[in-house]
Amino acid sequence: MTQIIDGKELSQTVKQEIKEKVDLIKESGKRPPHLSAVLVGNNPASEAYMRNKVRSCEQVGFSSDLIRKESDITQAELLAVVKQLNEDDQVDGFIVQLPLPDHIDDEAVLLAIDPSKDVDGFHPYNFGCMAQGLDSFLPATPYGIMIMLERYGIETSGKNVVIIGRSNIVGTPMSLLLSRKGKVGNSTVTLAHSRTKNLPEITRRADILISALGKPFFVTADMVKEGVVVIDVGINRIDDLTRKSGSRLVGDVDFEKVAPKASFITPVPGGVGPMTVASLMLNTLKAYNNKYDV
Ligand code: NAD
């Protein structure tokens, strides 16, 4: 029997847990945690992610603000915005939505963020702490996947995990988190990427397969074994003339064909995506608690 991992429902549960903590903070007369978000330009996908993040802040009782900048903002101007947010005592955490326009160096912007407010967990300080198992903000997508595995009682210890994709925001941190010691962890991890040879042979050995490469229907039924746990991180928009919009979102996995072989599988949409936002809320609460030593 295949079990669908319902990221939408789990994210609501996690957000409800956060809300209960925020209610207590407010009842004690303190201000709620505050998340700021910086959005440069008007990329439709980024706009949609931002709307979700702002809505989630409302759901959990955080205050938030969205700082919009035109796509012709200079790097120096954007760095000045980051500096101001770093210095603003009322802002517990903030994110700069990627991708940024080509003339801006993403790295320079991420490096300028105060690590104690880096609730996306992208700063090398947080990444390094994570790699060494020290307290840090975990990058939101891998963090959300760790919560999914834990809450669905999926055993990771001693399991063969194959991750496809080695980005700094998903594949690489996921490989570190699952290979280290911990309640969710102790896995034997293979990190596959565009230069990997004989990928289907490798993925067929996976007890847990995490796909984060961004290619629709890439993972096919012949690439997985019976009973595999499939976590589909990909978000790909494909044409679909049966839809009013003319398109729909799919993951990296050929869900219809792979799901019957899987013990657990995440859908797209409604899987990893909502958990990413819930994890961002958890990181913001953590930033607040760190600041006030709660
Ligand atoms: P990316 O786009 O930066 O990199 C893609 C990775 O896939 C690279 O490491 C590359 O080596 C690997 N790759 C490409 N072709 C391959 C092939 N044929 N075989 C094996 N590996 C191959 O990665 P990203 O930013 O992690 O994004 C990956 C996908 O995940 C995208 O669809 C993105 O939209 C999605 N995503 C979803 C969430 C979420 O919350 N659900 C969060 C982040 C990213």
Side-chain angles (χ1 to χ4, degrees), residues 202-279:
I202 294 167
T203 54
R204 275 195 287 272
R205 290 203 295 267
D207 300 310
I208 300 173
L209 178 64
I210 302 177
S211 184
L213 79 160
K215 293 196 173 156
F217 309 111
F218 182 85
V219 176
T220 48
D222 61 310
M223 288 172 71
V224 299
K225 69 175 182 187
E226 286 290 337
V228 65
V229 174
V230 179
I231 308 289
D232 190 352
V233 185
I235 301 178
N236 309 293
R237 188 165 285 284
I238 61 162
D239 291 341
D240 183 346
L241 297 177
T242 67
R243 302 282 173 104
K244 218 164 90 186
S245 63
S247 67
R248 71 185 159 105
L249 292 181
V250 296
D252 292 343
V253 176
D254 184 353
F255 186 89
E256 297 300 323
K257 306 260 170 56
V258 171
K261 288 181 87 173
S263 53
F264 291 89
I265 188 165
T266 61
V268 178
V272 175
M275 289 306 296
T276 297
V277 185
S279 304

Side-chain angles (χ1 to χ4, degrees), residues 49 141 164-167 169-171 192-196 199 211-215 218 232-236 252 272-273 276:
Y49 295 144
T141 302
I164 314 177
R166 58 180 162 186
S167 74
I169 61 169
V170 187
H193 45 75
S194 52
R195 304 290 178 93
T196 299
L199 184 63
S211 184
L213 79 160
K215 293 196 173 156
F218 182 85
D232 190 352
V233 185
I235 301 178
N236 309 293
D252 292 343
V272 175
T276 297

Side-chain angles (χ1 to χ4, degrees), residues 145-191:
I145 294 171
M146 298 288 278
I147 297 170
M148 277 178 158
L149 293 170
E150 183 183 1
R151 299 281 180 106
Y152 273 81
I154 295 168
E155 182 60 79
T156 57
S157 183
K159 300 293 179 186
N160 284 331
V161 173
V162 176
I163 299 166
I164 314 177
R166 58 180 162 186
S167 74
N168 282 342
I169 61 169
V170 187
T172 297
M174 197 71 251
S175 71
L176 290 165
L177 289 170
L178 280 172
S179 54
R180 75 183 191 185
K181 277 187 190 166
K183 197 151 80 173
V184 181
N186 296 313
S187 305
T188 306
V189 177
T190 305
L191 184 56

